[in-house]
Amino acid sequence: MILGVMIIPPLPTPFDSKGYLDSEAFRALAQAVEPHVDGLLFYGSNGEGVHLSKDERRAGLAAQSPTKPVWVGLMEETLAQAQVALEEAAALGARSLVTPPRYYESQLGTEGFLNYYRTLAETGKGEIWLYHVPQNTKVQLPLPVIAELSKHPGITGIKDSSGDLARMAFYASQKLSLELYTGSAPNFLGALALGAKGGIMAVANLAPKPYKMLLSAWQAGKIAEAQALQNRLEPFGRGLAAGGVVLLKQALRHLGLPGGYPRPPYGAESPAWASFKPILEEFRAEGWTVA
Amino acid sequence: MILGVMIIPPLPTPFDSKGYLDSEAFRALAQAVEPHVDGLLFYGSNGEGVHLSKDERRAGLAAQSPTKPVWVGLMEETLAQAQVALEEAAALGARSLVTPPRYYESQLGTEGFLNYYRTLAETGKGEIWLYHVPQNTKVQLPLPVIAELSKHPGITGIKDSSGDLARMAFYASQKLSLELYTGSAPNFLGALALGAKGGIMAVANLAPKPYKMLLSAWQAGKIAEAQALQNRLEPFGRGLAAGGVVLLKQALRHLGLPGGYPRPPYGAESPAWASFKPILEEFRAEGWTVA
Amino acid sequence: MILGVMIIPPLPTPFDSKGYLDSEAFRALAQAVEPHVDGLLFYGSNGEGVHLSKDERRAGLAAQSPTKPVWVGLMEETLAQAQVALEEAAALGARSLVTPPRYYESQLGTEGFLNYYRTLAETGKGEIWLYHVPQNTKVQLPLPVIAELSKHPGITGIKDSSGDLARMAFYASQKLSLELYTGSAPNFLGALALGAKGGIMAVANLAPKPYKMLLSAWQAGKIAEAQALQNRLEPFGRGLAAGGVVLLKQALRHLGLPGGYPRPPYGAESPAWASFKPILEEFRAEGWTVA
Amino acid sequence: MILGVMIIPPLPTPFDSKGYLDSEAFRALAQAVEPHVDGLLFYGSNGEGVHLSKDERRAGLAAQSPTKPVWVGLMEETLAQAQVALEEAAALGARSLVTPPRYYESQLGTEGFLNYYRTLAETGKGEIWLYHVPQNTKVQLPLPVIAELSKHPGITGIKDSSGDLARMAFYASQKLSLELYTGSAPNFLGALALGAKGGIMAVANLAPKPYKMLLSAWQAGKIAEAQALQNRLEPFGRGLAAGGVVLLKQALRHLGLPGGYPRPPYGAESPAWASFKPILEEFRAEGWTVA
């Protein structure tokens, strides 16, 4: 299936100030953001899915009723664990965005990588997307493994959050049968030029609008306009990446959105807030933020 | 409390050939190994604790009835998850061997590290030991953080599996109030010389005897004898480290012990087996193996 | 000064089969390549400048009489050594492309970086360009250091060979007063989209033509054409990068050009040749190669 | 030849405050330190050999007239460059301590490593020692390469400065025909236990005495005494390693020795001085320093 979607946020998962999952806030946040974007990713790189018990993970998804395309991050270590998570995602009609096993990854080998993704794809529980996010997983998905997996009909996309655009160039030149999405905002226009169809990026929780403008300009061949936006947006993407989910939630709260708090021991406030706040304010003044 | 124990295996967790937890084999393995060692670590660096559901983890521990000192590995991402695991370990009378949060570690900061360990220590549910195993967690526990945490009365030991003996030298020179254990077999005698009291090492599942001999020789001041053993044992430790838990289980099965299989997608056989098998056979011929 | 140049090769430095500098071949190679490109870089990332004695380095430059813009790579460890190299470059009317000191780099600090580049710039011996090539130097030039250095009137450009296009995005968004060039062929179009003006790339020794076509298409707003070329060229750039200067020289010899041999202990043949040769042949058949 | 030497300093190379080589200070420093140690290393990890022109390097050695065993560091990139340096070392009757080529190291391959060292060994210009110092060279000398090279009669020793004592354990267990020396002071006793014969360590420029005491205690089987010294010395070794040659020279000047200054752009003062100075003072009060 070819998607028309393009700018998607990895939605954070709100906890209350004591560290309990706040499913109501989670639903409210999704509903506040969804109208501004082209789809939603739950439990992605900024979604703290790995911070949830199995029951919480299910409860969080059960609170959602999205109308646009949906992805669910799946960051398990083994097939037995992944199959549980896969069924939950399928129940929501979502694609699963799957990171590789990581704790014993040095023992996985090419066969282990292939076996993991193929077995999940063969369950037929929704499409499988590859999720390359080495800054969190500390695992590299090798390019030949990705090329091999792309031949499987059940594996249909990739989100590459590494920001390493030589990888994007490889995916495109090999004409892999994968939807190509970047997870890296600071060099977004580079990813588009190299063949990405859009972005699944933390910035889209706060200010999807200018990224959609950039994408539209690019698609319309207005290169100078796209480059001007790219230059304008770069500090915003770089600043948010430096602070991660702690900063993202702080920024959402600042905008009056129900972003909640990170789960302890992660703290409520980011050391990157002081430098990020003025850019966020500037974007709000432009009418670019969600709220 | 000062422990008298010294050579402890991180017991593997047996799965059957279909990937189901085999609690009976787990109990049988523990009972087969325990007489040869000074204590047991469940769910440690070779214990695949991160491959278990919460229910499985509990069931695996419930099958055990050790009589020697026990540790349980705790490799969670947040305090909420860790507290569940901590209670299970406490129910077994075990010390908890705790790795730091890892997925969003870049956002944790010194305060996050301190908060995580101190909060667990303050629950009073058994002793907390620090567990530094960067080859799996990909996280570095900073030395000043360890020095700070060692001041807490509830934090009483460390297993350092990095093999970086400059760290061991630091722990000893600072006279930290921590029991010092290495997890690295290939340079075991170096760790002892630098102040480690013993080893919690995968090799102790297969052949604890010569490591105890080395330790005894060292403690008796028989340096030449200890060095001769160190040289003899080095290829064994290095070989097993290269293959990890996949190789360890294959070796246990080869010895006729109920080591079971790794959980898929991890495979049953290790590429390192061919070079490890002759050393294992040689150790068996010496009467050094558990079976 | 704003340059009009865009596609520039880092020319290899030919040695004969016994390892002696072959200045005649060096001159002949430069003369064979220069008509196809917009300028020349001597002693750059593929130029083995660090393999030359001071006398050889001078002799190699003395053999040249380029008519297009010229750069000379300067990869010294201290100011005393750099000043000698700087004078030689200035004598040729070249810009100096300067890597940071590397052997004791951990002791350099921000002040050391700034001091190094500023002192060179203040000699007034030609323009200084920053040269970021961490795959060879193993040193990261920090972004804030680059931003600071860009304020100096004598520091006028940067070649970034890291392929990390988040860096390119930063340079462009900060509107640094630097000519921006990429040294990474595999994601060349991404670099252009993010603000690079052109490329100083090893591929330009062999086949500058299609890269100039890509650049022209991009500048004319023919995005689809540029992307089609990017996809076609990606395996060529990736393949050459995998083999480095050893492969580059082997490819030049294959084309009948006087590329010579690497300096021993580097070998004459690259393990990457077998997979690179068919792409090179294909490019020759297209009429894309220099010879 | 089996050496009787054991504690050797990598002597720094003094520059005056303007950055000129100060050969007189170099000679005076060597003469001040030599009586306290078992030999001298010129142009080693703290010797700034890579900061010298060929003429300076020769002049620096020509100023020396050591009476104890001598090593000269050789940190070149190719055989042609290395052979020049090798002759200079041989003229002094020195062993050459040789780091691997580093700038294009990814293209070197096993054959290149072997070729480099064997070719130098076969010149017959003095013994060749392997020099593994990845913190500076950023190159790993693979263990199988070292094992292979150790079979060559002209290659007779290794200085391993990595501090990775699993490497030392490997050298010893394989009974390689190499003199084993560590370059890492903080875990010195661990290196001895694992088979090192002594240390070629920066600390030996400042305070060789307590390291000789530690070594004597170890050799006499006085383990408790050796461990007490190890614990006492660890902060000194760790502190000096943190500051490197900049700190070493500052410390020498503080002791009134002709250590001179680093070569610019390296600065005269280290950020690590404030924390190192009290330990140095304490060692001076003990009568442990050279002056």
Side-chain angles (χ1 to χ4, degrees), chain A residues 16-265:
Chain A
D16 66 21
S17 60
K18 290 185 175 160
Y20 292 104
L21 173 65
D22 186 344
S23 291
E24 275 185 52
F26 196 12
R27 176 181 176 86
L29 180 65
Q31 292 187 336
V33 173
E34 190 175 2
H36 301 269
V37 295
D38 302 309
L40 293 171
L41 164 60
F42 299 107
Y43 306 153
S45 51
N46 283 277
E48 286 181 87
V50 298
H51 289 180
L52 300 175
S53 72
K54 202 167 73 175
D55 291 346
E56 289 169 331
R57 193 173 57 192
R58 190 187 308 114
L61 287 187
Q64 307 298 337
S65 51
T67 59
K68 292 184 176 171
V70 176
W71 289 254
V72 173
L74 190 160
M75 295 157 178
E76 303 293 333
E77 295 282 3
T78 62
L79 281 165
Q81 296 161 305
Q83 277 155 348
V84 174
L86 193 60
E87 288 185 22
E88 288 168 20
L92 199 69
R95 293 152 202 82
S96 286
L97 197 47
V98 181
T99 58
R102 50 196 186 277
Y103 201 81
Y104 300 97
E105 175 256 340
S106 65
Q107 300 161 45
L108 197 57
T110 298
E111 280 313 304
F113 274 120
L114 295 175
N115 180 18
Y116 187 65
Y117 282 102
R118 284 174 177 162
T119 304
L120 292 179
E122 277 155 26
T123 64
K125 307 253 179 213
E127 298 172 32
I128 299 295
W129 282 40
L130 308 175
Y131 195 175
H132 181 64
V133 55
Q135 53 271 62
N136 291 133
T137 62
K138 319 294 189 333
V139 173
Q140 292 288 331
L141 260 175
L143 295 179
V145 165
I146 292 174
E148 187 61 30
L149 288 172
S150 72
K151 298 173 188 167
H152 195 291
I155 299 173
T156 57
I158 186 166
K159 175 186 176 188
D160 190 318
S161 296
S162 67
D164 176 359
L165 295 187
R167 296 179 65 97
M168 195 62 74
F170 172 84
Y171 307 145
S173 82
Q174 302 302 299
K175 305 193 187 308
L176 303 185
S177 179
L178 295 172
E179 300 278 327
L180 303 183
Y181 277 74
T182 183
S184 171
N187 55 14
F188 184 47
L189 180 58
L192 295 178
L194 291 168
K197 182 164 188 180
I200 308 181
M201 308 184 295
V203 290
N205 287 291
L206 298 169
K209 189 173 179 180
Y211 291 90
K212 299 190 82 164
M213 290 160 54
L214 189 167
L215 185 48
S216 297
W218 169 254
Q219 289 174 327
K222 298 176 183 170
I223 292 176
E225 192 179 320
Q227 287 185 313
L229 275 163
Q230 162 65 38
N231 286 339
R232 184 80 192 280
L233 296 174
E234 188 271 345
F236 188 71
R238 177 164 41 93
L240 188 58
V245 66
V246 174
L247 179 60
L248 172 58
K249 288 184 163 180
Q250 189 169 11
L252 286 166
R253 295 194 307 270
H254 183 76
L255 294 178
L257 289 163
Y261 296 86
R263 190 156 232 185

Side-chain angles (χ1 to χ4, degrees), chain C residues 214-239:
Chain C
L214 190 166
L215 186 48
S216 296
W218 169 254
Q219 290 173 328
K222 298 176 184 172
I223 293 177
E225 192 179 319
Q227 287 184 315
L229 276 163
Q230 162 67 36
N231 287 338
R232 183 81 191 280
L233 296 174
E234 188 271 346
F236 189 71
R238 179 163 40 93

Side-chain angles (χ1 to χ4, degrees), chain B residues 143 163-166 169-170 172-175 186-190 192-195 218 221 223 227 230-232 234-235 238, chain D residues 143 163-166 169-170 172-175 186-190 192-195 218 221 223 227 230-231 234-235 238:
Chain B
L143 295 180
D164 177 358
L165 296 188
F170 172 84
S173 82
Q174 302 301 299
K175 305 194 185 309
N187 55 12
F188 184 47
L189 181 57
L192 296 179
L194 291 168
W218 170 254
I223 292 178
Q227 286 184 315
Q230 162 66 37
N231 286 339
R232 183 81 193 280
E234 188 272 344
R238 179 164 41 92
Chain D
L143 295 181
D164 176 358
L165 295 188
F170 172 84
S173 82
Q174 302 302 299
K175 305 193 186 308
N187 54 14
F188 183 47
L189 179 56
L192 295 179
L194 291 167
W218 169 254
I223 294 177
Q227 287 184 314
Q230 162 66 37
N231 286 339
E234 189 270 346
R238 177 164 41 93

Side-chain angles (χ1 to χ4, degrees), chain B residues 111-158:
Chain B
E111 280 312 303
F113 274 120
L114 296 175
N115 181 18
Y116 187 64
Y117 283 101
R118 284 174 177 162
T119 304
L120 292 178
E122 277 156 23
T123 63
K125 307 252 179 215
E127 297 173 33
I128 299 295
W129 281 40
L130 308 176
Y131 196 176
H132 181 63
V133 54
Q135 52 270 62
N136 292 132
T137 62
K138 319 294 190 333
V139 173
Q140 292 288 332
L141 261 175
L143 295 180
V145 164
I146 291 174
E148 187 61 30
L149 288 172
S150 71
K151 298 173 188 167
H152 196 290
I155 299 173
T156 57
I158 186 165

Side-chain angles (χ1 to χ4, degrees), chain A residues 53, chain B residues 41-44 49-50 52-62 70-99 102 116 119-121 123-128:
Chain A
S53 72
Chain B
L41 165 60
F42 299 107
Y43 306 154
V50 298
L52 300 175
S53 72
K54 203 168 72 174
D55 291 347
E56 290 170 330
R57 192 174 56 190
R58 191 187 308 112
L61 287 188
V70 176
W71 289 255
V72 174
L74 191 161
M75 296 157 176
E76 302 293 332
E77 295 281 4
T78 61
L79 281 165
Q81 297 161 305
Q83 276 154 349
V84 174
L86 192 59
E87 289 186 20
E88 287 168 20
L92 199 69
R95 293 153 203 79
S96 287
L97 197 47
V98 181
T99 59
R102 52 197 184 274
Y116 187 64
T119 304
L120 292 178
T123 63
K125 307 252 179 215
E127 297 173 33
I128 299 295

Side-chain angles (χ1 to χ4, degrees), chain C residues 239-261:
Chain C
L240 188 58
V245 67
V246 175
L247 180 60
L248 173 59
K249 287 183 164 180
Q250 189 170 10
L252 285 165
R253 295 195 307 268
H254 183 75
L255 294 178
L257 289 163
Y261 295 87

